[in-house]
Amino acid sequence: MFFTLVTAALAASTVFASPIANTKVVHEKRDVLPSGWNKRSELHRRAILPMRIALAQNNLEKGGDWLHEVSDPESDRYGKHWSAKEIAEAFAPSDDTVSAVKSWLASHGIGNDRIKHGQSMGFLQFDASVDEAENLLNTKYNVYQHTDSKQSHVACEEYSIPAELSEHVDFITPTVHFDAPIKRHDKREPMEKRAISPGVEKGLGEPGSPSLPKLGATMNGADILGRLKNCNTQITPDCLRALYDFQHGHLALKKNAYGIVEYTPQAYVPSDLDLFFRQFAKKAVGERPVLDSIDGGVVQQTNMSFGFNGESDLDLEYAMSLVYPQNVVLYQVGDLVEGASFNNFLDAIDGSYCTFRGGDSQRFDAVYPDPYGGYQGPQNCGGFAATKVISTSYSYNEHDLTPIYERRQCAEYLKLGLMGVSVLYSSGDYGVAGNGGQCINPDGTYNNGNSGRFNPSFPGSCPWITSVGATQVKPHISLPNALASGTEPEKACETVIYSGGGFSNVFPLPGYQRKEVTSYFANNMPPYTSAQYNNSQETRGIPDISANGANYVVAVDGQFAKVYGTSASSPTLGAILTLINEERFSRGLSSIGFVNPVAYKNPGVFNDITAGSNPGCGTDGFQAVPGWDPVTGLGTPNYPKMLKLWLSLG
Ligand SMILES: *[C@@H]1O[C@H](CO)[C@@H](O)[C@H](O)[C@H]1NC(C)=O
Ligand SMILES: *[C@@H]1O[C@H](CO)[C@@H](O)[C@H](O)[C@H]1NC(C)=O
């Protein structure tokens, strides 16, 4: 961490001219300047600062309980999801917060007429002279310059606010946050401007980005075996239906569309969908996903290769085949120049998130209209409906981002859960290591993965996500024989990829998971130290559930190939949840919403995976064992049992 939030108890108060300032305390302080930035000069006294005060949201600490209330199978309120309006009202900054901050501003001569404050907005905005801002925050502004880009940025190194306002203010900008986007000269680089840490050298959807699926052998049509006894070497939609015991969809309910998120320049190829459907889902030939273009999102057809098409083709071919005749909505996010982040997507499906706690980060998220010349429309802020199941096969390392940024985004997943949306993310393909195999050195930098601290993925480590790990059919098993004899045909995926799993360094252990995680540690204490992972048994464990992620037969760029990754597992699990929603809707029941509380109270509806492991960071990783484990979670879906359970709930 570069800066620390200093609480009243720790901070020395600073004497200052106005009476209220006697009790001012440091609110945020930067211990060291971020690398590359140096102080250049004082700020011109006539500069005008666009001040933004992020107000503390009300009731955030109650959010977990509220989500539990509508997601816990034993709750009377199970399935009674909230409307967007109810959520906005429940979490809006309290009147006390707004008036306390406004009267502080008024005492510094900044009257109501100068302050902008939208109804659902979590912040106050006003322009201030340098003198006003420095008096208000008891600080000194300077201009800092970046060594490489020569770009300048206005900032201070600490600021103070009255002690009694600490609880009402999240943070204030511009202050200690060096989040100005670094402008690059090379035209192709803006997408990499979110080269936000050594772990993120590529934009989410860029070819080579390590959370994308992995390519195996290419095949021609004759190589496709298509028999259930070959599911140990080739996964097809029929293999998945046999493994998890589910049938084709049949109801085509309009409100039951299944959402798949893709980040530009990833793009599906229409002729690939048909090539796949002709082989595996004849009725779907000619079907296309419903396109929701977010922030200039385009399904580009200029660059064609596995790196550009693999993820989208994989996700859509399987999602569409498995839930047909229900619709799949494709959320295509970001333009070709800048790309986008998870926050850009969340802004589009929930307008209130755009301004929540000060809005997106200029460091981690794309800015629209695109300052680099791409999409010039306004940033999409609301206006796109969230489908009831949303699967995303991209992820960061938790360590790539900051805890403040992650907690803000995680609170949004909580709200989507309250609204009855099941949000799924793949858990990563590098076992206990992070994307690309990176592990964390004691000084916080990354290494090449032979040692160091385990590196779990985000957003999966947010407790309000269902994190999806990967399994494979055991090498020598014949699926029909295994199913007939009741032998578990799968183990943790150890072909090409290892299922991402482990324990968060940021998020505490959620209540719904406590029993399973505690019993995991009691029976299978891993042989690693607290230097390797947070072994306090008090942090969030991932994944939650898994599904097959090896040997998927996918049509890409006109031919079939085998594809690997939790990138395959997440759309498969999402398809199964969509089929369960179909049955619930047809009986007048609500969507299943946030899955985890039901899943952890009913581990018996999953096939327990007890073999395999997820090596990384110079270790054997964790082992798949009876019960929940940080490799395959609770196990893989058993559709008939899941359906029976979910149809029995509220
Ligand atoms: C994508 O296509 C454009 C236009 O043909 C080309 O200029 C660019 O280099 C391609 N990008 C990659 C990464 O291949
Ligand atoms: C592990 O997590 C716990 C609970 O969040 C926290 O108190 C502790 O400081 C963490 N330990 C390490 C070594 O990070």
mmCIF file of all heavy atoms in Angstrom, residues 188 206-207 300 302-305 308, ligand 1:
data_model
loop_
_atom_site.group_PDB
_atom_site.id
_atom_site.type_symbol
_atom_site.label_atom_id
_atom_site.label_comp_id
_atom_site.label_asym_id
_atom_site.label_seq_id
_atom_site.Cartn_x
_atom_site.Cartn_y
_atom_site.Cartn_z
ATOM 1 N N ARG A 188 -0.941 2.110 -30.194
ATOM 2 C CA ARG A 188 -1.516 0.848 -29.771
ATOM 3 C C ARG A 188 -1.533 0.682 -28.260
ATOM 4 O O ARG A 188 -2.114 -0.252 -27.747
ATOM 5 C CB ARG A 188 -0.740 -0.320 -30.394
ATOM 6 C CG ARG A 188 -1.569 -1.067 -31.430
ATOM 7 C CD ARG A 188 -1.053 -2.451 -31.662
ATOM 8 N NE ARG A 188 -1.234 -3.310 -30.477
ATOM 9 C CZ ARG A 188 -2.407 -3.731 -30.056
ATOM 10 N NH1 ARG A 188 -3.506 -3.399 -30.640
ATOM 11 N NH2 ARG A 188 -2.477 -4.503 -28.983
ATOM 12 N N GLU A 206 -7.124 -8.256 -24.440
ATOM 13 C CA GLU A 206 -6.038 -8.276 -25.439
ATOM 14 C C GLU A 206 -5.448 -9.658 -25.615
ATOM 15 O O GLU A 206 -5.263 -10.387 -24.639
ATOM 16 C CB GLU A 206 -4.918 -7.351 -24.974
ATOM 17 C CG GLU A 206 -5.067 -5.951 -25.470
ATOM 18 C CD GLU A 206 -3.729 -5.250 -25.411
ATOM 19 O OE1 GLU A 206 -3.165 -5.155 -24.318
ATOM 20 O OE2 GLU A 206 -3.258 -4.835 -26.455
ATOM 21 N N PRO A 207 -5.087 -9.996 -26.865
ATOM 22 C CA PRO A 207 -4.426 -11.289 -27.080
ATOM 23 C C PRO A 207 -3.211 -11.382 -26.156
ATOM 24 O O PRO A 207 -2.505 -10.399 -25.964
ATOM 25 C CB PRO A 207 -3.975 -11.207 -28.541
ATOM 26 C CG PRO A 207 -4.838 -10.184 -29.165
ATOM 27 C CD PRO A 207 -5.192 -9.204 -28.097
ATOM 28 N N GLN A 300 -15.238 -6.984 -33.386
ATOM 29 C CA GLN A 300 -14.352 -6.693 -34.527
ATOM 30 C C GLN A 300 -14.059 -7.980 -35.302
ATOM 31 O O GLN A 300 -13.972 -9.063 -34.724
ATOM 32 C CB GLN A 300 -13.063 -6.019 -34.051
ATOM 33 C CG GLN A 300 -12.203 -6.827 -33.093
ATOM 34 C CD GLN A 300 -11.238 -7.793 -33.770
ATOM 35 O OE1 GLN A 300 -10.894 -7.626 -34.936
ATOM 36 N NE2 GLN A 300 -10.814 -8.826 -33.048
ATOM 37 N N THR A 302 -11.573 -7.749 -37.832
ATOM 38 C CA THR A 302 -10.369 -7.369 -38.573
ATOM 39 C C THR A 302 -9.204 -8.276 -38.218
ATOM 40 O O THR A 302 -8.493 -8.767 -39.080
ATOM 41 C CB THR A 302 -9.973 -5.916 -38.232
ATOM 42 O OG1 THR A 302 -11.144 -5.119 -38.273
ATOM 43 C CG2 THR A 302 -8.948 -5.397 -39.209
ATOM 44 N N ASN A 303 -9.016 -8.479 -36.929
ATOM 45 C CA ASN A 303 -7.916 -9.324 -36.470
ATOM 46 C C ASN A 303 -8.476 -10.681 -36.101
ATOM 47 O O ASN A 303 -9.315 -10.781 -35.211
ATOM 48 C CB ASN A 303 -7.238 -8.711 -35.243
ATOM 49 C CG ASN A 303 -6.658 -7.345 -35.527
ATOM 50 O OD1 ASN A 303 -7.374 -6.360 -35.479
ATOM 51 N ND2 ASN A 303 -5.386 -7.298 -35.823
ATOM 52 N N MET A 304 -8.013 -11.695 -36.789
ATOM 53 C CA MET A 304 -8.547 -13.029 -36.556
ATOM 54 C C MET A 304 -7.427 -13.978 -36.156
ATOM 55 O O MET A 304 -6.517 -14.227 -36.952
ATOM 56 C CB MET A 304 -9.194 -13.575 -37.840
ATOM 57 C CG MET A 304 -10.158 -12.627 -38.519
ATOM 58 S SD MET A 304 -11.746 -12.613 -37.724
ATOM 59 C CE MET A 304 -12.569 -13.811 -38.737
ATOM 60 N N SER A 305 -7.504 -14.463 -34.941
ATOM 61 C CA SER A 305 -6.579 -15.522 -34.509
ATOM 62 C C SER A 305 -7.136 -16.038 -33.194
ATOM 63 O O SER A 305 -8.070 -15.446 -32.634
ATOM 64 C CB SER A 305 -5.164 -14.979 -34.304
ATOM 65 O OG SER A 305 -5.155 -14.087 -33.210
ATOM 66 N N PHE A 308 -7.501 -13.470 -30.516
ATOM 67 C CA PHE A 308 -8.606 -12.516 -30.617
ATOM 68 C C PHE A 308 -9.980 -13.185 -30.505
ATOM 69 O O PHE A 308 -10.950 -12.548 -30.104
ATOM 70 C CB PHE A 308 -8.552 -11.770 -31.959
ATOM 71 C CG PHE A 308 -7.485 -10.716 -32.031
ATOM 72 C CD1 PHE A 308 -6.281 -10.971 -32.672
ATOM 73 C CD2 PHE A 308 -7.678 -9.478 -31.444
ATOM 74 C CE1 PHE A 308 -5.287 -9.994 -32.739
ATOM 75 C CE2 PHE A 308 -6.693 -8.499 -31.510
ATOM 76 C CZ PHE A 308 -5.489 -8.761 -32.156
HETATM 77 C C1 LIG B 1 -5.102 -5.766 -36.111
HETATM 78 O O1 LIG B 1 -5.465 -5.341 -37.418
HETATM 79 C C2 LIG B 1 -5.003 -4.046 -37.768
HETATM 80 C C3 LIG B 1 -5.598 -3.680 -39.129
HETATM 81 O O2 LIG B 1 -5.311 -4.668 -40.071
HETATM 82 C C4 LIG B 1 -3.485 -4.026 -37.752
HETATM 83 O O3 LIG B 1 -3.012 -2.741 -38.051
HETATM 84 C C5 LIG B 1 -2.999 -4.459 -36.374
HETATM 85 O O4 LIG B 1 -1.599 -4.550 -36.374
HETATM 86 C C6 LIG B 1 -3.586 -5.798 -35.964
HETATM 87 N N1 LIG B 1 -3.206 -6.080 -34.594
HETATM 88 C C7 LIG B 1 -2.617 -7.211 -34.231
HETATM 89 C C8 LIG B 1 -2.224 -7.312 -32.810
HETATM 90 O O5 LIG B 1 -2.416 -8.126 -34.991
#
